[in-house]
Short mmCIF file of all heavy atoms in Angstrom, two decimals:
data_model
loop_
_atom_site.label_atom_id
_atom_site.label_comp_id
_atom_site.label_asym_id
_atom_site.label_seq_id
_atom_site.Cartn_x
_atom_site.Cartn_y
_atom_site.Cartn_z
N SER C 220 0.84 -1.19 0.00
CA SER C 220 0.00 0.00 0.00
C SER C 220 0.88 1.24 0.00
O SER C 220 2.04 1.20 0.45
CB SER C 220 -0.90 0.01 1.24
OG SER C 220 -0.12 0.25 2.40
N PRO C 221 0.37 2.39 -0.49
CA PRO C 221 1.15 3.63 -0.42
C PRO C 221 1.60 3.96 1.00
O PRO C 221 2.72 4.45 1.21
CB PRO C 221 0.18 4.68 -0.97
CG PRO C 221 -0.70 3.91 -1.91
CD PRO C 221 -0.89 2.57 -1.25
N ARG C 222 0.74 3.68 1.99
CA ARG C 222 1.12 3.92 3.38
C ARG C 222 2.33 3.08 3.77
O ARG C 222 3.29 3.57 4.39
CB ARG C 222 -0.05 3.60 4.30
CG ARG C 222 0.28 3.63 5.79
CD ARG C 222 -0.85 3.02 6.61
NE ARG C 222 -0.50 2.90 8.00
CZ ARG C 222 0.20 1.88 8.51
NH1 ARG C 222 0.62 0.92 7.70
NH2 ARG C 222 0.47 1.84 9.80
N ASP C 223 2.30 1.79 3.41
CA ASP C 223 3.41 0.92 3.76
C ASP C 223 4.68 1.33 3.03
O ASP C 223 5.78 1.27 3.59
CB ASP C 223 3.07 -0.54 3.45
CG ASP C 223 2.06 -1.12 4.42
OD1 ASP C 223 1.76 -0.47 5.45
OD2 ASP C 223 1.56 -2.23 4.16
N ARG C 224 4.55 1.71 1.76
CA ARG C 224 5.72 2.19 1.03
C ARG C 224 6.32 3.41 1.72
O ARG C 224 7.55 3.57 1.78
CB ARG C 224 5.36 2.54 -0.42
CG ARG C 224 5.09 1.34 -1.29
CD ARG C 224 4.94 1.68 -2.76
NE ARG C 224 4.51 0.50 -3.48
CZ ARG C 224 5.32 -0.46 -3.90
NH1 ARG C 224 6.61 -0.34 -3.70
NH2 ARG C 224 4.84 -1.52 -4.54
N SER C 225 5.46 4.24 2.26
CA SER C 225 5.94 5.42 2.98
C SER C 225 6.73 5.02 4.23
O SER C 225 7.79 5.58 4.51
CB SER C 225 4.77 6.32 3.37
OG SER C 225 4.23 6.98 2.24
N LEU C 226 6.21 4.07 4.99
CA LEU C 226 6.92 3.63 6.20
C LEU C 226 8.25 2.99 5.84
O LEU C 226 9.27 3.22 6.51
CB LEU C 226 6.05 2.67 6.99
CG LEU C 226 4.80 3.25 7.64
CD1 LEU C 226 4.02 2.17 8.39
CD2 LEU C 226 5.14 4.40 8.60
N VAL C 227 8.27 2.17 4.80
CA VAL C 227 9.52 1.56 4.35
C VAL C 227 10.53 2.62 3.95
O VAL C 227 11.71 2.56 4.32
CB VAL C 227 9.24 0.60 3.17
CG1 VAL C 227 10.54 0.16 2.50
CG2 VAL C 227 8.46 -0.62 3.64
N THR C 228 10.07 3.62 3.22
CA THR C 228 10.97 4.67 2.73
C THR C 228 11.47 5.53 3.89
O THR C 228 12.67 5.87 3.95
CB THR C 228 10.24 5.54 1.69
OG1 THR C 228 9.77 4.69 0.63
CG2 THR C 228 11.15 6.60 1.12
N LEU C 229 10.59 5.89 4.82
CA LEU C 229 11.03 6.65 5.99
C LEU C 229 12.09 5.87 6.77
O LEU C 229 13.09 6.45 7.23
CB LEU C 229 9.84 6.96 6.90
CG LEU C 229 8.83 7.99 6.41
CD1 LEU C 229 7.76 8.20 7.48
CD2 LEU C 229 9.50 9.31 6.07
N ALA C 230 11.86 4.57 6.94
CA ALA C 230 12.83 3.76 7.67
C ALA C 230 14.20 3.79 6.99
O ALA C 230 15.24 3.90 7.65
CB ALA C 230 12.33 2.33 7.80
N ALA C 231 14.20 3.70 5.66
CA ALA C 231 15.47 3.72 4.93
C ALA C 231 16.17 5.06 5.07
O ALA C 231 17.38 5.13 5.32
CB ALA C 231 15.23 3.40 3.46
N LEU C 232 15.43 6.15 4.93
CA LEU C 232 16.04 7.47 5.02
C LEU C 232 16.58 7.74 6.42
O LEU C 232 17.68 8.29 6.58
CB LEU C 232 15.01 8.55 4.64
CG LEU C 232 14.52 8.52 3.19
CD1 LEU C 232 13.47 9.60 2.98
CD2 LEU C 232 15.67 8.69 2.20
N ILE C 233 15.81 7.38 7.44
CA ILE C 233 16.27 7.60 8.82
C ILE C 233 17.46 6.70 9.13
O ILE C 233 18.45 7.15 9.73
CB ILE C 233 15.12 7.35 9.81
CG1 ILE C 233 14.02 8.41 9.62
CG2 ILE C 233 15.63 7.38 11.26
CD1 ILE C 233 12.74 8.14 10.38
N ALA C 234 17.39 5.44 8.72
CA ALA C 234 18.48 4.51 8.98
C ALA C 234 19.79 4.98 8.37
O ALA C 234 20.87 4.79 8.95
CB ALA C 234 18.13 3.12 8.45
N ARG C 235 19.71 5.62 7.21
CA ARG C 235 20.90 6.06 6.51
C ARG C 235 21.22 7.54 6.77
O ARG C 235 22.16 8.09 6.20
CB ARG C 235 20.72 5.80 5.01
CG ARG C 235 20.61 4.31 4.69
CD ARG C 235 19.97 4.05 3.34
NE ARG C 235 20.77 4.55 2.24
CZ ARG C 235 21.78 3.91 1.69
NH1 ARG C 235 22.14 2.72 2.15
NH2 ARG C 235 22.45 4.43 0.68
N ASN C 236 20.42 8.15 7.66
CA ASN C 236 20.60 9.57 8.02
C ASN C 236 20.63 10.46 6.78
O ASN C 236 21.43 11.38 6.66
CB ASN C 236 21.87 9.77 8.85
CG ASN C 236 21.82 11.06 9.66
OD1 ASN C 236 20.77 11.66 9.85
ND2 ASN C 236 22.97 11.49 10.15
N GLN C 237 19.72 10.18 5.85
CA GLN C 237 19.63 10.95 4.60
C GLN C 237 18.44 11.91 4.72
O GLN C 237 17.31 11.59 4.32
CB GLN C 237 19.49 9.99 3.42
CG GLN C 237 20.74 9.15 3.24
CD GLN C 237 20.62 8.09 2.16
OE1 GLN C 237 19.56 7.53 1.94
NE2 GLN C 237 21.73 7.80 1.50
N THR C 238 18.71 13.08 5.27
CA THR C 238 17.62 13.99 5.64
C THR C 238 17.19 14.94 4.53
O THR C 238 16.17 15.60 4.66
CB THR C 238 18.04 14.82 6.87
OG1 THR C 238 19.25 15.54 6.57
CG2 THR C 238 18.27 13.93 8.09
N ILE C 239 17.92 15.00 3.42
CA ILE C 239 17.60 16.01 2.42
C ILE C 239 16.21 15.80 1.82
O ILE C 239 15.53 16.75 1.46
CB ILE C 239 18.68 16.06 1.31
CG1 ILE C 239 18.50 17.32 0.45
CG2 ILE C 239 18.65 14.80 0.45
CD1 ILE C 239 19.66 17.63 -0.46
N GLU C 240 15.76 14.54 1.73
CA GLU C 240 14.43 14.26 1.19
C GLU C 240 13.43 13.89 2.28
O GLU C 240 12.28 13.57 1.98
CB GLU C 240 14.51 13.11 0.18
CG GLU C 240 15.19 13.50 -1.13
CD GLU C 240 14.94 12.46 -2.21
OE1 GLU C 240 15.09 11.26 -1.93
OE2 GLU C 240 14.58 12.86 -3.33
N LEU C 241 13.86 13.94 3.53
CA LEU C 241 13.01 13.41 4.60
C LEU C 241 11.72 14.21 4.77
O LEU C 241 10.65 13.62 4.98
CB LEU C 241 13.80 13.38 5.91
CG LEU C 241 13.12 12.68 7.09
CD1 LEU C 241 12.69 11.26 6.74
CD2 LEU C 241 14.06 12.66 8.30
N ALA C 242 11.79 15.52 4.67
CA ALA C 242 10.57 16.33 4.84
C ALA C 242 9.53 15.97 3.77
O ALA C 242 8.34 15.83 4.07
CB ALA C 242 10.90 17.81 4.77
N PHE C 243 9.98 15.80 2.54
CA PHE C 243 9.06 15.44 1.46
C PHE C 243 8.38 14.11 1.76
O PHE C 243 7.15 13.97 1.63
CB PHE C 243 9.83 15.34 0.13
CG PHE C 243 9.01 14.79 -1.01
CD1 PHE C 243 8.12 15.60 -1.69
CD2 PHE C 243 9.13 13.46 -1.39
CE1 PHE C 243 7.36 15.09 -2.75
CE2 PHE C 243 8.39 12.95 -2.44
CZ PHE C 243 7.49 13.76 -3.12
N TYR C 244 9.16 13.11 2.20
CA TYR C 244 8.58 11.79 2.41
C TYR C 244 7.81 11.68 3.73
O TYR C 244 6.91 10.84 3.85
CB TYR C 244 9.66 10.71 2.29
CG TYR C 244 10.03 10.47 0.84
CD1 TYR C 244 11.23 10.93 0.30
CD2 TYR C 244 9.14 9.81 0.00
CE1 TYR C 244 11.54 10.72 -1.02
CE2 TYR C 244 9.44 9.60 -1.33
CZ TYR C 244 10.63 10.06 -1.85
OH TYR C 244 10.93 9.86 -3.18
N LEU C 245 8.13 12.52 4.69
CA LEU C 245 7.28 12.60 5.88
C LEU C 245 5.90 13.12 5.50
O LEU C 245 4.88 12.57 5.93
CB LEU C 245 7.92 13.52 6.93
CG LEU C 245 9.05 12.93 7.76
CD1 LEU C 245 9.80 14.03 8.49
CD2 LEU C 245 8.53 11.90 8.75
N GLY C 246 5.87 14.17 4.70
CA GLY C 246 4.59 14.69 4.23
C GLY C 246 3.84 13.68 3.39
O GLY C 246 2.61 13.53 3.53
N ARG C 247 4.56 12.96 2.56
CA ARG C 247 3.92 11.93 1.72
C ARG C 247 3.34 10.82 2.60
O ARG C 247 2.25 10.30 2.32
CB ARG C 247 4.95 11.37 0.74
CG ARG C 247 4.36 10.50 -0.37
CD ARG C 247 5.46 10.05 -1.32
NE ARG C 247 4.93 9.23 -2.39
CZ ARG C 247 4.56 9.68 -3.59
NH1 ARG C 247 4.67 10.97 -3.85
NH2 ARG C 247 4.09 8.87 -4.52
N ALA C 248 4.05 10.44 3.65
CA ALA C 248 3.55 9.40 4.56
C ALA C 248 2.24 9.85 5.20
O ALA C 248 1.27 9.07 5.28
CB ALA C 248 4.59 9.09 5.63
N LEU C 249 2.18 11.08 5.65
CA LEU C 249 0.95 11.59 6.26
C LEU C 249 -0.18 11.65 5.23
O LEU C 249 -1.32 11.31 5.53
CB LEU C 249 1.21 12.97 6.87
CG LEU C 249 2.16 12.98 8.08
CD1 LEU C 249 2.62 14.39 8.39
CD2 LEU C 249 1.50 12.34 9.30
N ASP C 250 0.15 12.05 4.02
CA ASP C 250 -0.86 12.09 2.95
C ASP C 250 -1.35 10.69 2.59
O ASP C 250 -2.49 10.51 2.17
CB ASP C 250 -0.29 12.78 1.70
CG ASP C 250 -0.06 14.27 1.91
OD1 ASP C 250 -0.66 14.85 2.83
OD2 ASP C 250 0.74 14.84 1.14
#
């Protein structure tokens, strides 16, 4: 689901400390 893809993506970005796209994907997760 889009929600699950969002959680997977957030986990990857946080795990790798890649914050440049994090705000975009946090907003996408909420959406």
Side-chain angles (χ1 to χ4, degrees):
S220 71
R222 172 192 174 276
D223 287 351
R224 287 189 188 278
S225 288
L226 292 179
V227 169
T228 303
L229 289 182
L232 295 177
I233 294 170
R235 295 160 65 84
N236 201 16
Q237 295 175 326
T238 57
I239 193 167
E240 289 194 313
L241 188 54
F243 172 80
Y244 284 106
L245 281 166
R247 191 178 181 94
L249 293 166
D250 291 340

